[in-house]
């Protein structure tokens, strides 16, 4: 692939245009009449795990007005490239590389513009008119503690001292007609904002967008640096400022063409039980806990509004894993370069555990300790520190995005007694199922992780047994001559 010839092409500027493009690709299906209590969840478990499943719109959900819709499975099939602004035909590694070259490396940030009006104000509901139960919010997994209206969502907050705006994805569970509870984990930017308000006894102004352009949601769910507004990142990716309107109550900005927005104040003194929720690790690791409630003063929505649903699913790889692997791999590669690690040839943050738990790093070894440097840093960069369990560093003949190759290199080139280092008391997630009951009680959100040096040992790398796989040259020759045997 020649990256320089690949130019981003943005075919959509909101969710409606994204649906139009997905329909053109033949990847949009509609289901009428599925229940929010059970059937939408059942369908999600069928469709989302497949790499090529369709995007599905649920309409005419019993109990909800006709036209009030829910969309699932944005990131699968051919629409993946379109969603990130690229042409068709790229493999997942190529898509990640394109993301790296065009967005991650360039670091272009364009601030948003504020406009007066937009389709999001087609319906403005305040006071007694606020009733979030009319949106078709499903029970995603049978043992969930409630209806999660906020999965493919993002919350907008402003730092009360430094006055910068953050846009982060934190799950939201419906409490009643006029409130949702938000789980914001310590260390997230929204949490740091929150604590500043709460410590001075104030409520935090907040808007949450629970349906809209998926690109905003993707950037809100990715670990960008502190102080950098995710709106500026989206603007930079599209080379065009995003258009925002201001909430009537808080003044906080949100996309003029969003689908559904809830606005209000997050109240530390009004806490309600949140969870449990089937999480990205594939477990119900956290019990229900009392979390601050967003007291909703206004709801804005487009006509025939659409919730964006991105439920985490069990067992390993799902939609969240698919897109995060692409973005996190690019981010980590960038962070390693910025930290001064030379010759990192490939990075893959593996899909299992939503691309947080296992990372493969390929390097061209240049000096003693190079592999360890790359490994230790990969276990603790901004994009990876949270929830990481394993980092495997290999030589550059290995395709680290290929699970079998990565494990083969690990099994054959590492000596567990001497090649593995354990890092202790690192930052993890409350969703980590391996936190002990005592740690949970003490709110000790740390874990250990291993850094595996599966490179050929540097000081005798020339004596390491040769591999019997064909060279690139002879593999190409073989394919040309005998590739027909596989057709
Ligand atoms: C679908 C989805 C759900 C998430 N749920 C939560 C959540 O409930 N609480 C949380 O703190 N982080 C959650 N995250 C992770 C954060 O969105 C992510 O760490 C992001 O970088 C946070 O934004 P910030 O860095 O601006 O704080 C979720 C991410 C995704 C993609
Ligand atoms: Mn942020």
């Amino acid at each position: 692939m020649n990256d320089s010839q690949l130019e981003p092409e943005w075919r959509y500027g909101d969710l409606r245009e994204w649906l139009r493009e997905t329909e053109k690709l033949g990847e949009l299906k509609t289901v009428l009449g599925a229940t929010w209590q059970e059937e939408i969840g059942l369908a999600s478990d069928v469709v989302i795990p497949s790499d090529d499943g369709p995007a599905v719109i649920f309409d005419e959900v019993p109990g909800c007005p006709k036209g009030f819709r829910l969309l699932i499975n944005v990131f699968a099939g051919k629409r993946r490239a379109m969603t990130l602004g690229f042409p068709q035909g790229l493999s997942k590694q190529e898509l990640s590389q394109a993301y790296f070259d065009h967005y991650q490396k360039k670091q272009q940030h364009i601030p948003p513009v504020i406009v007066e009006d937009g389709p999001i104000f087609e319906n403005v509901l305040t006071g007694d008119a606020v009733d979030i139960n009319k949106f078709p919010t499903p029970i995603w997994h049978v043992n969930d503690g409630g209806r999660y209206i906020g999965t493919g969502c993002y919350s907008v907050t402003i730092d009360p001292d430094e006055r910068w705006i953050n846009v982060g994805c934190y799950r939201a569970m419906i409490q009643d007609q006029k409130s949702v509870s938000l789980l914001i984990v310590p260390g997230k930017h929204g949490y740091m904002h929150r604590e500043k308000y709460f410590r001075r006894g104030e409520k935090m102004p907040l808007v949450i967008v629970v349906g809209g352009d998926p690109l905003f949601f993707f950037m809100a769910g990715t670990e960008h640096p502190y102080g950098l507004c995710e709106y500026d990142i989206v603007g930079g990716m599209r080379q065009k400022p995003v258009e925002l309107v201001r909430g009537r109550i808080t003044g906080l900005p949100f996309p003029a063409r969003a689908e559904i927005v809830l606005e209000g104040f997050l109240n530390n003194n009004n806490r309600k039980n949140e969870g449990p929720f089937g999480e990205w690790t594939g477990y119900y690791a956290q019990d229900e806990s009392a979390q601050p409630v967003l007291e909703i003063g206004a709801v804005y929505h487009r006509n025939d509004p659409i919730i964006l649903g991105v439920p985490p699913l069990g067992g390993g790889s799902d939609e969240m894993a698919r897109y995060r692997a692409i973005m996190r791999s690019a981010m980590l590669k960038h962070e390693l370069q910025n930290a001064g690690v030379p010759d990192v040839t490939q990075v893959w943050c593996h899909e299992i555990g939503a691309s947080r738990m296992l990372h493969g790093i390929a390097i061209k070894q240049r000096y003693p300790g190079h592999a360890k440097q790359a490994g230790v840093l990969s276990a603790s960069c901004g994009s990876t520190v949270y929830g990481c369990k394993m980092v495997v560093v290999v030589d550059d003949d290995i395709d680290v995005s290929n699970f079998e190759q990565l494990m083969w290199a690990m099994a054959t080139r590492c000596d567990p007694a001497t090649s593995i280092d354990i890092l202790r008391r690192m930052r993890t997630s409350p969703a980590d199922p391996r936190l002990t009951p005592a740690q949970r009680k003490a709110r000790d959100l740390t874990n250990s992780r291993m850094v595996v040096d599966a490179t050929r040992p540097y000081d005798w790398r020339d004596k390491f047994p040769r591999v019997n796989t064909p060279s690139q040259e002879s593999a190409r020759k073989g394919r040309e001559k005998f590739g027909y045997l596989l057709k």
Side-chain angles (χ1 to χ4, degrees):
M1 185 188 58
N2 186 347
D3 281 320
S4 57
Q5 287 170 5
L6 188 72
E7 277 310 313
E9 45 177 39
W10 289 99
R11 293 173 175 270
Y12 68 100
D14 68 3
L15 187 59
R16 309 273 164 132
E17 291 173 2
W18 184 92
L19 287 169
R20 183 196 65 206
E21 292 301 314
T22 296
E23 195 150 28
K24 277 195 220 157
L25 292 169
E27 295 188 333
L28 184 62
K29 294 214 163 124
T30 301
V31 173
L32 301 180
T35 62
W36 63 258
Q37 290 87 344
E38 186 188 16
E39 289 173 349
I40 294 176
L42 288 179
S44 303
D45 276 316
V46 171
V47 169
I48 296 175
S50 159
D51 248 18
D52 297 317
V56 183
I57 287 264
F58 296 92
D59 197 352
E60 300 182 21
V61 175
C64 305
K66 185 166 182 242
F68 278 44
R69 296 167 288 169
L70 169 90
L71 169 67
I72 61 162
N73 210 25
V74 165
F75 204 74
K78 289 185 273 193
R79 59 195 179 281
R80 282 180 268 201
M82 180 275 286
T83 303
L84 294 178
F86 293 113
Q88 293 302 313
L90 305 180
S91 68
K92 68 179 186 181
Q93 300 94 282
E94 288 169 337
L95 200 50
S96 185
Q97 183 66 36
Y99 183 90
F100 178 83
D101 288 335
H102 286 282
Y103 310 131
Q104 191 64 54
K105 208 164 65 183
K106 289 186 182 158
Q107 290 287 303
Q108 287 170 329
H109 303 136
I110 300 182
V113 289
I114 302 289
V115 297
E116 282 308 304
D117 202 5
I120 185 61
F121 289 139
E122 281 168 354
N123 299 274
V124 176
L125 309 169
T126 55
D128 285 347
V130 171
D131 180 6
I132 57 173
N133 284 323
K134 65 184 181 182
F135 300 108
T137 307
I139 298 279
W140 291 108
H141 330 86
V142 281
N143 292 312
D144 287 358
R147 299 168 74 184
Y148 278 82
I149 192 170
T151 54
C153 66
Y154 51 91
S155 289
V156 184
T157 55
I158 182 163
D159 186 302
D161 304 323
E162 300 161 21
R163 308 302 294 172
W164 63 279
I165 286 176
N166 188 68
V167 185
C169 170
Y170 318 113
R171 76 193 196 199
M173 186 183 107
I174 295 180
Q175 290 291 347
D176 56 36
Q177 292 173 346
K178 294 182 189 349
S179 66
V180 294
S181 42
L182 289 186
L183 182 83
I184 315 183
V185 170
K188 307 284 171 172
H189 299 154
Y191 185 89
M192 297 190 232
H193 285 187
R194 185 185 100 169
E195 292 309 293
K196 289 188 185 178
Y197 289 95
F198 288 180
R199 260 189 242 118
R200 32 182 108 146
E202 292 171 16
K203 298 179 188 178
M204 174 160 77
L206 185 145
V207 297
I208 176 166
V209 179
V210 295
D213 182 337
L215 190 61
F216 288 85
F217 157 68
F218 288 144
M219 292 305 108
T222 311
E223 283 74 13
H224 299 290
Y226 178 88
L228 175 60
C229 177
E230 287 78 357
Y231 286 143
D232 300 17
I233 297 174
V234 175
M237 289 176 77
R238 291 202 164 124
Q239 289 290 292
K240 198 165 117 191
V242 301
E243 294 191 345
L244 308 176
V245 291
R246 288 194 189 282
R248 311 261 163 99
I249 298 174
T250 62
L252 286 168
F254 48 85
R257 291 196 277 162
E259 294 285 333
I260 306 169
V261 175
L262 318 178
E263 180 180 36
F265 293 88
L266 195 69
N267 186 352
N268 193 26
N269 299 320
N270 178 9
R271 286 178 171 248
K272 292 204 171 125
N273 272 346
E274 192 272 353
F277 185 53
E279 289 162 332
W280 55 271
T281 50
Y283 295 84
Y284 284 95
Q286 308 176 70
D287 290 335
E288 59 179 19
S289 64
Q291 296 297 331
V293 160
L294 177 71
E295 297 166 339
I296 300 168
V299 172
Y300 312 104
H301 71 84
R302 290 177 77 146
N303 295 335
D304 296 334
I306 308 169
I307 298 179
L308 182 59
V310 186
L313 297 185
S317 99
D318 64 6
E319 182 190 5
M320 209 196 272
R322 278 196 291 273
Y323 69 79
R324 294 182 125 188
I326 285 172
M327 295 164 206
R328 199 186 311 284
S329 303
M331 281 185 94
L332 177 56
K333 191 170 175 198
H334 190 241
E335 285 170 322
L336 290 172
Q337 286 184 353
N338 281 350
V341 187
D343 286 313
V344 174
T345 54
Q346 198 197 7
V347 169
W348 197 253
C349 300
H350 271 272
E351 282 84 348
I352 55 134
S355 89
R356 288 195 187 279
M357 300 184 124
L358 166 65
H359 309 307
I361 316 295
I363 62 167
K364 223 188 258 311
Q365 291 190 76
R366 297 295 186 201
Y367 45 83
H370 187 182
K372 197 61 64 72
Q373 178 194 21
V376 169
L377 278 165
S378 295
S380 54
C381 281
S383 65
T384 52
V385 68
Y386 184 74
C388 170
K389 288 287 176 82
M390 290 171 241
V391 173
V392 184
V393 186
V394 295
D395 293 305
D396 66 338
D397 59 325
I398 300 299
D399 173 1
V400 294
S401 71
N402 179 313
F403 201 76
E404 276 74 24
Q405 271 197 42
L406 185 67
M407 289 300 128
W408 173 72
M410 181 163 149
T412 57
R413 296 185 194 173
C414 105
D415 163 45
T418 56
S419 310
I420 297 179
D421 287 281
I422 308 287
L423 306 177
R424 289 162 216 275
R425 298 198 53 75
M426 303 285 286
R427 181 180 180 216
T428 194
S429 161
D432 186 340
R434 195 52 180 82
L435 284 173
T436 64
Q439 278 185 295
R440 286 197 182 277
K441 204 158 163 226
R443 290 176 187 276
D444 170 9
L445 297 181
T446 62
N447 71 356
S448 68
R449 58 201 56 181
M450 67 174 180
V451 176
V452 182
D453 179 356
T455 57
R456 298 176 181 92
Y458 185 81
D459 41 5
W460 55 279
R461 64 194 185 287
D462 295 337
K463 299 195 184 69
F464 206 87
R466 279 177 297 161
V467 296
N468 64 4
T469 43
S471 67
Q472 275 189 2
E473 177 51 26
S474 66
R476 191 187 50 77
K477 210 159 130 193
R479 268 196 312 273
E480 268 170 21
K481 197 145 192 200
F482 293 110
Y484 73 90
L485 291 171
L486 292 175
K487 296 225 171 88

